[in-house]
Amino acid sequence: MTTNNKTEAKTPTKMSYNPLNNTLQTLEIKDKTIENYVNQIRTNFYSAVKAHYLVARDLFDAKENLNNQDFSELVKQCKFSGSTQQKYLRVGGDVRLMSLFIVGKLPMKWTTQYLLTKLKDNQFKKVAKVIDPDTSANKIREVAEMTDVEKQKVENDILSVSYTHLTL
């Protein structure tokens, strides 16, 4: 009986980033490469983005289905400021964002999601052709051909909610 002392070359197992994945990946990296860590981190980060969007959808659904007193109590228990609540309701109530969510193209940043809610339908259609999770707000403004007035209004809205998050 002869033994083969040659070791077989291992082919690294490559992980891939999939924005449609809904499962958190916990220490699943078998081959410890930068690319695999990046893909796992991006997948987990995007899972958090989707969860954040679903919170906005849940809040919108609650607003539609609860009476005003119950909804106010829910907001109080969730500790949402008025400004944060407004932004969540805007993001959660925009069916166009749900269509991006379903196909894994919802932007990573909530401020970019909020920007999308401010677009007119014709602007959104242009953006939807090029959007992916990494699309920047600047790219969206450019593709949507937003006017300076539209840009300034969105920036003011975003700053008001960002300030609110800082003071909570």
Side-chain angles (χ1 to χ4, degrees):
M1 178 174 184
T2 44
T3 4
N4 188 349
N5 288 334
K6 291 184 184 177
T7 30
E8 293 181 32
K10 282 188 176 180
T11 305
T13 306
K14 183 178 176 183
M15 295 181 67
S16 63
Y17 164 64
N18 179 356
L20 294 174
N21 184 353
N22 285 323
T23 315
L24 291 176
Q25 297 178 4
T26 312
L27 297 176
E28 292 183 15
I29 299 172
K30 293 178 182 25
D31 292 316
K32 311 294 186 191
T33 65
I34 293 171
E35 181 181 15
N36 285 346
Y37 278 111
V38 167
N39 287 329
Q40 178 167 311
I41 289 167
R42 286 181 52 80
T43 296
N44 286 337
F45 186 79
Y46 201 65
S47 292
V49 169
K50 290 186 288 188
H52 193 258
Y53 171 74
L54 292 173
V55 167
R57 287 289 306 156
D58 291 346
L59 188 65
F60 178 79
D61 189 61
K63 175 78 172 157
E64 294 293 305
N65 292 296
L66 297 176
N67 65 43
N68 288 341
Q69 184 178 354
D70 288 347
F71 182 74
S72 293
E73 181 59 28
L74 175 122
V75 169
K76 180 180 172 186
Q77 288 185 27
C78 290
K79 299 179 182 177
F80 293 140
S81 71
S83 181
T84 299
Q85 176 193 151
Q86 265 184 328
K87 295 342 178 247
Y88 275 153
L89 290 172
R90 183 91 187 206
V91 167
D94 194 317
V95 295
R96 301 172 307 176
L97 294 188
M98 179 54 93
S99 67
L100 296 177
F101 174 85
I102 290 168
V103 296
K105 292 185 174 188
L106 189 68
M108 290 272 198
K109 297 182 179 174
W110 77 265
T111 52
T112 307
Q113 294 172 23
Y114 182 72
L115 169 62
L116 289 170
T117 71
K118 295 297 207 167
L119 298 179
K120 297 173 195 143
D121 284 338
N122 63 326
Q123 292 172 313
F124 190 91
K125 285 177 186 173
K126 291 178 190 176
V127 170
K129 293 175 185 175
V130 300
I131 200 162
D132 65 35
D134 295 317
T135 304
S136 69
N138 285 337
K139 178 72 174 177
I140 289 170
R141 287 185 201 99
E142 176 188 317
V143 172
E145 300 174 346
M146 291 179 74
T147 66
D148 289 341
V149 172
E150 289 172 323
K151 291 176 191 174
Q152 191 58 56
K153 169 123 179 58
V154 171
E155 289 306 313
N156 290 343
D157 288 349
I158 289 171
L159 287 174
S160 74
V161 78
S162 294
Y163 177 75
T164 302
H165 278 301
L166 292 174
T167 58
L168 290 177

